[in-house]
Amino acid sequence: MSEPDPRVVLAGERTLLAWIRTGLALMGFGFVVARFGLFMRELARMPEHTTESHLGASWVGIVLVVLGIVVNAGATVRYLRFNSALSRGEPAHVSLSAPAVLAIGVALIGLILTVVLLASLGQ
């Protein structure tokens, strides 16, 4: 059995690093969104505000952080399976379903956050 082409191995590593960057970006953005929700809740408690303004950004931020964790864990599993298939000499099957599911999930979270923000403008 011959060694796998180093270019293929390095391409797998680059893909893993791209997924890690994506996961870290999701976690960072989720942290910012969650802190913004906390800021808005504290701002609503000030004496000048007569109405309770509840912005659901905190839970959306937490969902984004969890999504980032899932992306990083999934990327690691996918990379390990890819390397294992290469070392056995099997063809490495690449699925485009993971990026599509992630894109749809992030779009849905963005849509929910938009609805929450628009609802808070009406209060």
Side-chain angles (χ1 to χ4, degrees), residues 29-39 41 57-62:
F29 182 62
F31 180 79
V32 169
V33 169
R35 294 298 105 197
F36 179 71
L38 178 66
F39 169 73
R41 245 189 332 268
S58 291
W59 67 268
V60 174
I62 293 169

Side-chain angles (χ1 to χ4, degrees), residues 42-96:
E42 291 300 318
L43 188 63
R45 291 183 183 163
M46 293 181 71
E48 301 89 46
H49 294 277
T50 57
T51 62
E52 265 307 302
S53 173
H54 180 5
L55 184 70
S58 291
W59 67 268
V60 174
I62 293 169
V63 168
L64 284 170
V65 170
V66 170
L67 184 61
I69 293 168
V70 169
V71 164
N72 282 335
T76 303
V77 168
R78 191 171 170 168
Y79 173 74
L80 292 174
R81 286 183 184 165
F82 176 79
N83 270 354
S84 177
L86 279 181
S87 66
R88 290 189 308 266
E90 298 174 1
H93 299 286
V94 179
S95 167
L96 295 179

Side-chain angles (χ1 to χ4, degrees), residues 106-122:
V106 171
L108 287 175
I109 291 171
L111 181 65
I112 291 168
L113 186 57
T114 302
V115 168
V116 169
L117 288 171
L118 288 174
S120 70
L121 289 177

Side-chain angles (χ1 to χ4, degrees), residues 18-28 64-65 67-69 71-72:
W19 278 108
I20 289 173
R21 282 192 306 270
T22 301
L24 287 173
L26 283 168
M27 287 187 282
L64 284 170
V65 170
L67 184 61
I69 293 168
V71 164
N72 282 335

